[in-house]
Amino acid sequence: MASAFELRRRNQLIIAAAVVAVMIALPLGIKDVYIQNILVLTVMYAALSQSWNILSGYCGQISLGHALYFGIGAYASTLLFVKFGIIPWFGMAAGGIFAAAIALIVGWPCFRLGGHYFTIATIVLAEIGLILFLNWSYAGEASGLQIPVSGDSWTTFTFLRSKLPYYYFALGLAAVVWLVTYFIEDSKWGYYWRAVRENTLAAQSLGVQVFRSKMAAAAVSAFFTAIGGSFYAQFVSYIDPDSVMVFQFSLLMALPAVIGGIGTLWGPAVGAAILIPLTELTRSYMGGGGKGFDLIFYGAVIMIIALARPEGLLSLVTRTRPAPP
Amino acid sequence: MLTAENISQILMSGLLMGLIYALIAAGLSLIFGLMDVVNFAHGEFLMTAMYATFGLVVVLSLDPLILSPIVAAIMFVVGAFCYRGIIVHAMRARTNVGMVQVFATFGLAIVIRGLAQFAFTPDYRSIPKSWLGGQTLSLFGVYMPAPQLAGALASLLAFGALWLLMKKTDFGRALEATREDAGAVGLVGIDRNRVFAMGWGLGAALVGLAGAILSIFYYIHPDVGGPFALIAYVTVALGGFGSVFGALAAGVIVGIVEAISATVLQPSMKAIGIYAVYLLVVFLRPRGLFGH
Amino acid sequence: MKTKITRREAGALVGGAVAGAFAPGLAQAQGKQIVIGGLYPLSGANAQIGVDAKHAYDTALDVINNKHDLDLPLAKTEGLPNLSGAKLAMTFADHQSDPQKGRAEAERLITQDKVVALIGTYQSAVANTASVAAERYSIPFLGADTSSPSLHRRGLKFFFRAAPHDEMFTQTMFDFFDDLKKKGKPVQSIALFYEDTIFGADSANVQRKLAGEKGIKVVADIKYRSNSPSLTAEVQQLKAANAQVLMPSSYTTDAILLMKTMAELGYKPPAILAQDAGFSEQTLFNAIGAQGEGVMTRSTFSLDLAQKKPSVGKVNELFKARSGKDLNDLTARQFTAAMIMADAINRSKTGEPQAIRDALAATDLPGDQTIMPWRRVKFDENGQNNDCTPVLLQRRGDKYVTVFPAEYAVADVVWS
């Protein structure tokens, strides 16, 4: 049993390496900046959705407020860069740590809530964050913050025309989050989280430290979401509360995992690879008429996938396997 | 500048708006209590009802107030149809049922918005003339806008009717029984799917009533549901999931807290007051005010 | 299995790109055509703006590409004479009011559709990122209807704005107050009511500053959350403050709710002077009826200019035939932006982006060759036109009339 399990784990690593290799080579064949932009977003949402998946998929605590951590990451690095000249690489780390701290602080009361009460609490917390940023004059209120771009530079992580540096960073982030998930899956915490997800009471009686498990999952999840937020701020080089902290972002982080397969290693990546190009292409090629066709199409696809494949699209190609012992 | 008159005005406005919030939330709460489904298309149901009212006003030239039962009836059909066509499939999911329902209804919400934009264009509509529009009652210097007063009364009547329905009719007892144990009711000859479809119809009819009255004093637009839906979710959770009458109490609390925090905080931050009350309540009572 | 899906996706992407690249190729086969890109919200809360904008631009293209007896540049000819009669075309993209999407669509229009210039975007936040993308690809960007003053202060070489920005608009309002003072009706107190967006913040900041300079008391300074379910508490505060002039900066949705709530709470300020936006929309006045009488707004345009400029009435008829609406402040600015851009493309002689940029920078169009009440169109070194006088309009019956400044006024202001 153990050896079959380890074999499967090794296969996962090989698949991952192959996928990353293909993704590294992909932009060499695709020169169109618009499509490169879609690739950046796809890989970014794969990373974000995987981060979300750690808390909501593996640990079963459904959050629809991850826009809070995304926004904190975006604002932390941008404020440090614009106001203090601290390069975004440090800002990114600071944003990640700060978001993790916030996740622990709000997690302390929130993790005593169950099910929908928890989910609504996450929505409400993200809305509070949005309103605070809209009224925080130091952070530019609604006018947001502009990241000065003088030229191509890895030090300040700004590039004029090229999307490739952003793409490779996002790919790296997605790979790291994937690896973290991969190792956690087979760790003590991974077992704890699944136990908490499947049956909180039973987990408790078996000696799983339920509360600490949830807190750990929230911190890891928030950390990587904030890194994604910092990345997005650098990528767009302009942020305002309405474009980084709205509810829509929370949904967009959850959707790929749900579409692909929630609580699975590959679900978020598969979901993002389908959903993000779909979102972008329907807007670009169906949205120009103002007739709402893009909305009808996009909504119908989400609805149909959710209904026809409740386990996620991943289940089309993999037989549902029991979780490792 | 807080005079007694000001304070009574703030409380009165909050109370009226709160009762309307409660009416909007009632359907959401009913559906949730019945089958544990959070309907993410609830705001779009409200929007559909408002467009239905607008369309009927244009075609029939009747007052929205007269049309409100017709709109509620139309929404009943829409709700029951949504259950039969969509939600019933979501209920069949064997894994992660909650997320499937959330995203099936979320997809539905986007589709309804797209359809509204297609059918009515994204232009802002409003009902220019109605019996109550622009009318207002003044009592000791406290203003009570007639449309909101009507909304508040409709809300109280709807909750009263709902109470009678739940306690005094066979359908209500079937509803209650299905809520308690959906599996066992099959054994005593109750068609679970039929009860669920009726529940969805009833939930949509309640929001239809709210939409008809709202359209007297609010603009109509494909995206109009969003802000109301968020308040409805918080209201339902604050009252306690599954408690329809908790939603009534919570709606009033939300309305009054909103009115007070717009005065105490900056108006642009008034929603924070509502959110803070929600968090405070669930931290102290993790199942809301009246949840079980 | 992941690789397989990725490849399939990549195939779909490339397919999309080919389809996108194919469209202008097809157009070129039918005769020489110059394509410019339009960036607008075409879905979501502001979709109507984009829909109306398309009608405005289609009207402009009609005027440019066909013979019309109008005193406007390029109207009397077919197409662009300096480019051997090439036709002007526009392709539109939906930015959904999102800065990131706006930039992506700008890049798509530039690299796939090979547009030679961009026009947009309604929202200032989107103009911010889209114009930076245009700058990086050396494509001229003309802000038709964005009014944030920060936009032309970023040192961009390819950014232009023919219409006034919020500081100019607000200055005109306070010039009007000065004028009233001279007439012995000084304004003592104002109430600011503005939404929590860039537009609201920019507008209120200038209003607050100018009020301070002129010694006018700001008795209420209310920032509200846009698209709120209720504005009752906000209106109560306005009512309690009881200012002489209420100055709202609100889009259509909130403007409708504000006016209806005011009626319900029995609040009628002596005067309302709005920062355009929702108050330029006929939709608002359809919703509030007689309550709109006497409301004032700043604007860049007014239909009664037709009395002084015959082209205004004729363009309005062309626009109305398409959209079923009269031209308003936004659609008139959009029409004018297309005309200015077409004029610059024609003068560029080549239709190349760099040449168009230089032609735009050299623009000197007399005001009477536009449908606007402007002195002329001439861009300063930041790309801002400073000779575009805003006007103030007042609601009379079912239409707006120009009441300030005197040179464009067709009626005296009614001021109690």
Side-chain angles (χ1 to χ4, degrees), chain A residues 43-61:
Chain A
V43 176
M44 181 188 88
Y45 275 108
L48 289 171
S49 196
Q50 188 70 278
S51 315
W52 178 86
N53 198 27
I54 291 173
L55 176 64
S56 300
Y58 283 92
C59 195
Q61 305 302 303

Side-chain angles (χ1 to χ4, degrees), chain A residues 161 235 283-285 288, chain C residues 54 103 105 107 112 128 136:
Chain A
R161 279 199 196 184
F235 176 56
R283 186 194 67 239
S284 294
Y285 296 103
Chain C
K54 280 179 80 166
R103 184 182 69 168
E105 291 300 327
E107 287 170 348
Q112 288 187 3
N128 190 329
R136 291 177 190 173

Side-chain angles (χ1 to χ4, degrees), chain A residues 293-317:
Chain A
F293 292 134
D294 52 333
L295 296 178
I296 298 173
F297 179 73
Y298 178 65
V301 168
I302 291 172
M303 196 164 73
I304 290 165
I305 293 177
L307 292 177
R309 278 279 137 191
E311 312 82 14
L313 287 173
L314 202 58
S315 66
L316 286 172
V317 282

Side-chain angles (χ1 to χ4, degrees), chain A residues 47-57 59 61 63 65-77 91-108 111 118 122 125-126 173 177 180-181 184 193 213-231 244-245 250 253:
Chain A
L48 289 171
S49 196
Q50 188 70 278
S51 315
W52 178 86
N53 198 27
I54 291 173
L55 176 64
S56 300
C59 195
Q61 305 302 303
S63 159
H66 261 48
L68 177 67
Y69 307 123
F70 186 80
I72 285 175
Y75 267 98
S77 63
M92 228 175 233
I97 291 165
F98 186 64
I102 294 282
L104 291 176
I105 293 167
V106 301
W108 184 73
F111 281 128
F118 174 79
T122 61
L125 283 165
L173 180 63
V177 187
V180 167
T181 318
I184 286 175
W193 289 351
S213 297
K214 290 178 179 178
M215 293 285 266
V220 174
S221 184
F223 177 81
F224 285 113
T225 307
I227 302 275
S230 297
F231 165 76
V244 296
M245 256 185 159
S250 301
M253 281 180 240

Side-chain angles (χ1 to χ4, degrees), chain C residues 87-283:
Chain C
K87 299 277 201 241
L88 193 65
M90 275 190 82
T91 177
F92 291 92
D94 178 13
H95 62 57
Q96 294 182 344
S97 313
D98 178 312
Q100 188 276 124
K101 288 170 184 161
R103 184 182 69 168
E105 291 300 327
E107 287 170 348
R108 180 175 68 87
L109 291 175
I110 293 168
T111 58
Q112 288 187 3
D113 292 352
K114 309 285 180 218
V115 299
V116 294
L118 288 168
I119 296 184
T121 55
Y122 186 56
Q123 275 100 347
S124 294
V126 182
N128 190 329
T129 55
S131 59
V132 168
E135 184 85 9
R136 291 177 190 173
Y137 284 90
S138 303
I139 297 282
F141 180 100
L142 181 58
D145 41 19
T146 53
S147 60
S148 176
S150 60
L151 286 174
H152 70 276
R153 295 190 181 135
R154 293 172 299 159
L156 299 184
K157 292 274 169 294
F158 286 79
F159 177 85
F160 297 91
R161 174 162 53 195
H165 52 76
D166 285 328
E167 289 177 7
M168 298 167 72
F169 282 126
T170 306
Q171 184 64 50
T172 302
M173 297 181 180
F174 283 81
D175 289 347
F176 169 66
F177 292 160
D178 282 347
D179 192 55
L180 284 174
K181 200 171 180 177
K182 280 184 213 136
K183 288 177 183 163
K185 296 177 186 170
V187 171
Q188 315 281 2
S189 63
I190 56 173
L192 308 184
F193 181 78
Y194 52 101
E195 60 169 38
D196 60 345
T197 61
I198 300 184
F199 162 66
D202 281 343
S203 167
N205 286 340
V206 188
Q207 288 173 343
R208 206 176 295 121
K209 184 174 138 248
L210 288 178
E213 287 171 9
K214 308 228 177 232
I216 297 172
K217 210 171 154 206
V218 179
V219 290
D221 190 326
I222 297 177
K223 174 172 164 182
Y224 69 93
R225 182 95 182 95
S226 61
N227 297 322
S228 278
S230 146
L231 290 174
T232 311
E234 288 81 347
V235 170
Q236 273 156 13
Q237 292 183 22
L238 288 175
K239 192 181 172 188
N242 194 23
Q244 203 178 345
V245 186
L246 170 63
M247 302 182 77
S249 309
S250 307
Y251 284 117
T252 315
T253 51
D254 298 320
I256 294 175
L257 192 58
L258 169 70
M259 295 301 284
K260 289 202 168 194
T261 309
M262 279 167 51
E264 287 162 6
L265 294 181
Y267 172 47
K268 193 170 185 340
I272 298 176
L273 178 52
Q275 186 79 272
D276 196 58
F279 286 86
S280 72
E281 299 285 333
Q282 183 59 35
T283 321

Side-chain angles (χ1 to χ4, degrees), chain B residues 16 63 65 128-138 143-150 216-217, chain C residues 259-266 291:
Chain B
L16 294 182
D63 195 83
L65 215 53
K129 273 203 183 75
S130 58
W131 294 343
L132 300 179
Q135 305 284 330
T136 187
L137 273 170
S138 173
Y143 284 88
M144 289 177 284
Q148 297 183 24
L149 204 56
I216 300 174
F217 65 97
Chain C
M259 295 301 284
K260 289 202 168 194
T261 309
M262 279 167 51
E264 287 162 6
L265 294 181
Q291 197 196 351

